[in-house]
């Protein structure tokens, strides 16, 4: 069964997600209008700038339809800015920033701080297809998950303090979670050429 996964295409790294979803065996389409949202079996909220995507969701009148579909169980994968958009609660958002919500977590926006805007590391990631449990994770002005509700499963954390290359405040932080059919990562698997996180999402979306 081929399923159709949309990528919210208002801002951010849309093309990379479309390619990763196709490589993961889904039909991938862009979503900019409510009619397009209505036709997908799952949705990716890409990396980009969460404050901008939040504003554009309202301009394109997608915010309410998206909230309704998430509430009705639409499988959604949020990467970086997309993780922020999926979170029920944000720290360090802008004053008027809203989220779509659905994922019972508190995320801290731009959490890794100015000194470590961007960094890369290998992480163990639970539930990936295949035998290799490790992903190479690229963080770009990324959020982390500061609190999780009872229904949220932690899939990946930054390695412990003392691991070479890990900035101290980041050690042990939660960077990938799943709650039912909602999946979120602080990092960007779509730019590393590794499609296993997208394969996991396609499996989740197939139910
Ligand atoms: N810092 C961005 C935000 O607040 C997220 C960065 C990203 O998606 N790479 O939305």
């Amino acid at each position: 069964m081929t399923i159709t996964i949309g990528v919210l295409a208002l801002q951010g790294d849309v093309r990379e997600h479309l390619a990763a979803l196709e490589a993961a065996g889904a039909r991938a389409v862009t979503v900019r209008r409510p009619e397009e949202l209505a036709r997908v079996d799952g949705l990716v909220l890409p990396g980009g700038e969460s404050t901008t995507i939040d504003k554009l969701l309202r301009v394109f009148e997608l915010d309410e339809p998206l909230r309704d579909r998430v509430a009705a169980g639409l499988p959604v994968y949020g990467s970086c800015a997309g993780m922020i958009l999926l979170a029920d609660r944000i720290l360090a958002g802008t004053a008027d920033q809203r989220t779509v919500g659905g994922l019972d977590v508190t995320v801290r926006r731009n959490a890794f701080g100015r000194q470590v805007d961007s960094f890369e590391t290998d992480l163990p990631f639970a539930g990936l297809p295949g035998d290799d449990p490790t992903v190479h994770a690229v963080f770009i002005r990324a959020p982390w998950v500061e609190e999780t509700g009872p229904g949220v499963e932690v899939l990946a954390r930054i390695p412990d303090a003392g691991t070479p290359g890990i900035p101290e405040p980041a050690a042990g932080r939660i960077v990938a979670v799943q709650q039912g059919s909602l999946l979120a990562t602080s990092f960007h698997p779509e730019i590393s050429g590794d499609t296993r996180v997208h394969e996991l999402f396609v499996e989740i979306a197939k139910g």
Side-chain angles (χ1 to χ4, degrees), residues 47-50 80-81 84 109-110 140-141 188:
E49 176 47 56
S50 58
C80 202
I84 297 170
R109 189 167 158 257
N110 299 335
I140 305 168
R141 290 181 65 73
H188 292 269

Side-chain angles (χ1 to χ4, degrees), residues 8-151:
L8 183 70
L10 303 178
Q11 192 262 344
D13 67 336
V14 174
R15 246 187 326 168
E16 291 80 357
H17 280 288
L18 292 169
L21 288 166
E22 293 276 350
R27 176 165 356 110
V29 297
T30 55
V31 168
R32 286 190 195 86
R33 296 182 302 160
E35 312 82 84
E36 292 165 340
L37 177 63
R39 287 197 289 263
V40 298
D41 305 309
L43 185 70
V44 170
L45 304 178
E49 176 47 56
S50 58
T51 54
T52 305
I53 298 174
D54 165 40
K55 285 191 189 114
L56 291 172
L57 278 170
R58 294 185 239 176
V59 170
F60 281 70
E61 296 180 352
L62 269 170
D63 55 334
E64 282 307 319
L66 181 52
R67 240 172 242 123
D68 290 349
R69 278 217 73 186
V70 173
L74 179 72
V76 184
Y77 167 38
S79 157
C80 202
M83 170 191 261
I84 297 170
L85 287 160
L86 264 188
D88 281 343
R89 298 167 295 278
I90 10 175
L91 300 169
T94 57
D96 62 344
Q97 184 170 5
R98 300 199 310 184
T99 70
V100 175
L103 189 59
D104 183 12
V105 298
T106 305
V107 298
R108 181 173 293 280
R109 189 167 158 257
N110 299 335
F112 293 90
R114 235 175 253 159
Q115 278 83 25
V116 284
D117 256 3
S118 302
F119 75 104
E120 304 184 13
T121 188
D122 289 333
L123 307 169
F125 191 112
L128 284 182
D131 298 330
D132 179 3
T134 305
V135 285
H136 185 71
V138 179
F139 296 86
I140 305 168
R141 290 181 65 73
W144 65 46
V145 177
E146 209 150 298
E147 274 173 8
T148 57

